[in-house]
Amino acid sequence: MTRPPDVTAVGERKARASTFSPLTTKAPAKLNIRLKITGRRPDGYHELVSIMVPVTLFDEIRISPAAEGIHLETVGIPVPGDETNLVFRAAEAFLSRLAIRRGLFIRLSKRIPVAAGLGGGSSDAAATLMTLNRIFSHPLSRRELAGMAVRLGADVPFFLNARPCVATSIGEILEPLNRWPPWWYVVVAPSFAVSTAWVYDHFKLKLTSPDREYILNTLKKGHFEPRDLLENDLEAVTAKRFPVIETIKEQLMAAGAEGALMTGSGPCVFGVFPSETKASSARAKIESQDLGTIFVVTQHG
Ligand code: ATP
């Protein structure tokens, strides 16, 4: 009898770690430099083409041994500490897949704003899977981890190998972009959250041209400007409900940004700068305007 490759022998492999030293992993945020919605699948998921870049704003996951059960402690920005947390769900999926009975203490230090378009929950889930796979001596292959990741959320596979990528399908097909420009970003996080589901519910699909080819052709050029790529189909939906998004974009442009865009389903907005000095000076210019929390970041990894 043949078994599907995804489950081959996993249960037969030894997940070794009777006890282990605590392990800490950084979970980066992401920015969507471009996000085009290209279709809707019968199961309700939207198909998209997106450029995703991991950036130097991090949550942190620390996993240490416990006698039994999964114990999650959250510090920093408030997030649910129960079984709805993606960290908990990722740990549960990993342990049950490998029939591991060992208990875990997990501490999630939350610095990435929540429901902000920065992908923090997905990144935490990926960091949890990768940390557990390390602790238990790599019982799961990359492919098996990716399969587990996409069941936790469409953006989770991206964070398993966080580097600039073109993401297609529902976000889980990833093509690395090896020559991503060394841009700096000023990220403004307004103090309110936006539900991704609400934004997609209010999005009206238009006919779109093939975007993956456009991206790859633009990136092939020796020189391109941020404005050649910065576009987010979800921005109009979120900005209609929260006009401050337009205000933040205008302020970032007035402070010298070469382009400004909302990331994901928002409400975070980022400006693109050619250097850290220019990004920091823009931050100083907009700081007094009370637009939200401001981070100066660059590509991670
Ligand atoms: P995306 O860009 O993928 O839409 P996001 O940054 O907008 O993500 P998240 O911060 O990942 O959104 O959180 C979305 C929802 O998920 C929140 O309402 C939150 O309650 C829930 N959630 C569950 N686990 C976590 C986690 N570890 N960190 C943040 N949010 C979490």
Side-chain angles (χ1 to χ4, degrees), residues 18-20 64-71 95 100-105:
S18 52
T19 189
F20 57 89
S64 49
E68 58 182 319
I70 301 170
H71 307 271
L95 296 185
I100 296 171
R101 304 181 81 84
R102 162 153 275 308
L104 303 171
F105 281 118

Side-chain angles (χ1 to χ4, degrees), residues 3-282:
R3 285 176 289 200
D6 206 29
V7 295
T8 303
V10 166
E12 296 151 22
R13 263 178 241 161
K14 283 270 171 281
R16 291 187 304 272
S18 52
T19 189
F20 57 89
S21 305
L23 206 60
T24 302
T25 308
K26 282 175 162 186
K30 57 87 178 157
L31 295 176
N32 295 93
I33 303 296
R34 187 174 181 87
L35 176 52
K36 302 289 289 175
I37 313 290
T38 53
R40 188 157 186 205
R41 302 196 318 194
D43 63 7
Y45 275 102
H46 284 83
E47 292 183 319
L48 51 83
V49 179
S50 181
I51 301 177
M52 297 170 77
V53 173
V55 292
T56 52
L57 166 64
F58 302 99
D59 288 343
E60 199 179 86
I61 311 280
R62 183 177 187 273
I63 304 186
S64 49
E68 58 182 319
I70 301 170
H71 307 271
L72 176 62
E73 176 196 13
T74 67
V75 295
I77 299 174
V79 269
D82 59 14
E83 59 285 348
T84 63
N85 195 299
L86 279 161
V87 167
F88 192 101
R89 290 181 47 216
E92 203 171 40
F94 187 94
L95 296 185
S96 78
R97 169 74 174 271
L98 291 156
I100 296 171
R101 304 181 81 84
R102 162 153 275 308
L104 303 171
F105 281 118
I106 309 180
R107 193 180 65 202
L108 165 62
S109 306
K110 194 79 203 158
R111 291 185 58 231
I112 303 173
V114 175
L118 296 170
S122 303
S123 187
D124 296 343
T128 304
L129 293 180
M130 286 189 293
T131 310
L132 288 173
N133 208 37
R134 240 180 103 188
I135 286 170
F136 291 98
S137 306
H138 303 278
L140 296 184
S141 67
R142 277 182 176 279
R143 190 154 161 246
E144 288 163 340
L145 277 180
M148 195 174 277
V150 75
R151 285 191 286 278
L152 291 162
D155 282 349
V156 182
F158 165 76
F159 289 106
L160 287 178
N161 190 6
R163 55 186 163 149
C165 278
V166 178
T168 49
S169 184
I170 59 167
E172 87 289 18
I173 296 182
L174 299 158
E175 293 173 69
L177 297 171
N178 294 322
R179 286 174 33 217
W180 186 251
W183 289 338
W184 282 77
Y185 310 91
V186 174
V187 181
V188 181
S191 57
F192 54 90
V194 168
S195 150
T196 303
W198 181 88
V199 176
Y200 274 102
D201 280 352
H202 288 78
F203 173 74
K204 288 195 182 56
L205 194 62
K206 297 167 284 220
L207 270 182
T208 49
S209 46
D211 208 65
R212 179 179 163 275
E213 288 65 30
Y214 172 78
I215 291 171
L216 297 179
N217 287 333
T218 305
L219 294 177
K220 259 190 222 149
K221 290 184 200 157
H223 181 76
F224 58 87
E225 303 289 336
R227 67 169 166 270
D228 295 336
L229 291 175
L230 294 192
E231 210 177 316
N232 181 346
D233 281 349
L234 300 176
E235 188 180 84
V237 180
T238 312
K240 191 168 173 208
R241 169 99 166 75
F242 300 104
V244 71
I245 284 164
E246 278 304 333
T247 311
I248 299 172
K249 287 180 71 179
E250 284 159 19
Q251 294 304 323
L252 284 165
M253 295 305 285
E258 294 188 352
L261 193 73
M262 186 184 84
T263 176
S265 47
C268 273
V269 175
F270 62 93
V272 179
F273 295 85
S275 68
E276 182 177 12
T277 316
K278 290 196 167 147
S280 299
S281 109

